[in-house]
Amino acid sequence: MQQPYTQIEFAKSAFNCPLCNAYSEHQWSFAKKVDYHTAIYGGNVVPTDFIEELVFSYCIHCKEHTVWKKSSKTLLYPNSGTAPLANSDMPEDIQLDFNEARSIVELSPRGASALLRLVVQKICKHLGEKGENINTDIGNLVKKGLPEKMQRALDSVRVIGNNAVHPGSIDLSDDRETAYKLFAFVNIIADLLITQPKQIDEFYESKITTGAKEAIERRDNKT
């Protein structure tokens, strides 16, 4: 069974790496002071004191480091924060918007939430809606059989993303937790509405014989 996405957290031993996105064990360490010029020009480097404010986590999977500030437990690098990567089945232009939201979420949760609302609007258009009014598009998808839980996920991103642009009852001035939850919702929406239908179609086309398809079509066309 696939490991559920685990958000990165300061000093946690395992999570989805923000650099490679794989669920992996992470090893934590402090930085040590060394003389820069000696290190650059091949001299004998002797580490001195720890720099306790600067902490590294090393991903066992990709062999890369993330960088943290100890006192605030905030991620300094990469600047995409801890948001998951975009569902790879989303159209490329939608992934670009999703990843732009990732790149600013630490600096502006409000801006990231507004971009995710745009992502949902584009997903609705990708699914055959007009893409002009996100509320109307979601309503049309509900009429076509969209599950109630997915409707709630779509509406959550729609409402919060809209309030990020036009402040209303939800204050997103420094609400990273809400913004990160929206990233997860968008990927869940993409999985249900794009990835799963794609996988079903691919299986049907590759495994079901022409004769079986014709029999199914005759059955479905019966009045």
Side-chain angles (χ1 to χ4, degrees):
M1 186 172 65
Q2 185 177 6
Q3 170 69 36
Y5 183 85
T6 302
Q7 186 168 308
I8 189 172
E9 183 179 323
F10 183 77
K12 184 180 285 187
S13 61
F15 46 80
N16 285 80
C17 175
L19 292 167
C20 69
N21 205 44
Y23 178 81
S24 174
E25 179 185 349
H26 279 70
Q27 298 173 345
W28 294 81
S29 60
F30 287 117
K32 274 193 172 184
K33 296 177 184 177
V34 298
D35 181 84
Y36 174 79
H37 289 91
T38 301
I40 290 296
Y41 295 108
N44 185 29
V45 175
V46 181
T48 55
D49 300 331
F50 287 110
I51 308 174
E52 293 195 4
E53 186 63 8
L54 196 60
V55 183
F56 296 86
S57 65
Y58 174 77
C59 175
I60 298 299
H61 182 264
C62 69
K63 308 295 190 288
E64 297 289 345
H65 288 87
T66 54
V67 186
W68 295 73
K69 184 176 181 181
K70 179 185 176 184
S71 59
S72 60
K73 299 181 179 180
T74 55
L75 185 66
L76 302 178
Y77 172 82
N79 62 4
S80 59
T82 63
L85 295 174
N87 180 307
S88 60
D89 288 321
M90 288 192 288
E92 186 175 345
D93 63 315
I94 301 179
Q95 290 188 51
L96 288 174
D97 291 330
F98 186 101
N99 289 328
E100 182 178 347
R102 289 182 76 241
S103 72
I104 67 170
V105 64
E106 286 296 315
L107 297 174
S108 176
R110 184 189 297 275
S113 298
L115 277 169
L116 290 175
R117 183 183 190 276
L118 175 63
V119 166
V120 165
Q121 189 164 0
K122 287 187 174 182
I123 288 176
C124 289
K125 188 172 183 179
H126 175 71
L127 295 172
E129 300 305 321
K130 293 182 178 180
E132 298 171 356
N133 184 306
I134 188 172
N135 193 44
T136 300
D137 289 346
I138 292 172
N140 289 337
L141 289 174
V142 170
K143 293 176 183 176
K144 294 176 183 178
L146 181 74
E148 182 182 355
K149 295 297 183 184
M150 285 302 99
Q151 176 191 347
R152 289 185 176 184
L154 285 164
D155 279 327
S156 294
V157 182
R158 174 185 67 84
V159 171
I160 294 174
N162 185 61
N163 282 333
V165 181
H166 307 289
S169 59
I170 301 173
D171 182 9
L172 270 173
S173 59
D174 192 32
D175 193 348
R176 286 168 174 78
E177 182 179 354
T178 297
Y180 279 118
K181 185 64 70 175
L182 298 186
F183 281 102
F185 281 2
V186 169
N187 271 341
I188 290 171
I189 291 163
D191 180 70
L192 181 77
L193 301 182
I194 299 176
T195 300
Q196 292 185 29
K198 175 186 174 184
Q199 292 174 344
I200 292 169
D201 288 343
E202 288 175 349
F203 183 87
Y204 185 88
E205 292 301 323
S206 64
K207 299 296 183 181
I208 306 302
T209 65
T210 300
K213 289 177 184 175
E214 290 173 350
I216 292 170
E217 185 175 352
R218 287 195 298 271
R219 178 202 66 191
D220 292 343
N221 288 335
K222 285 183 178 180
T223 57

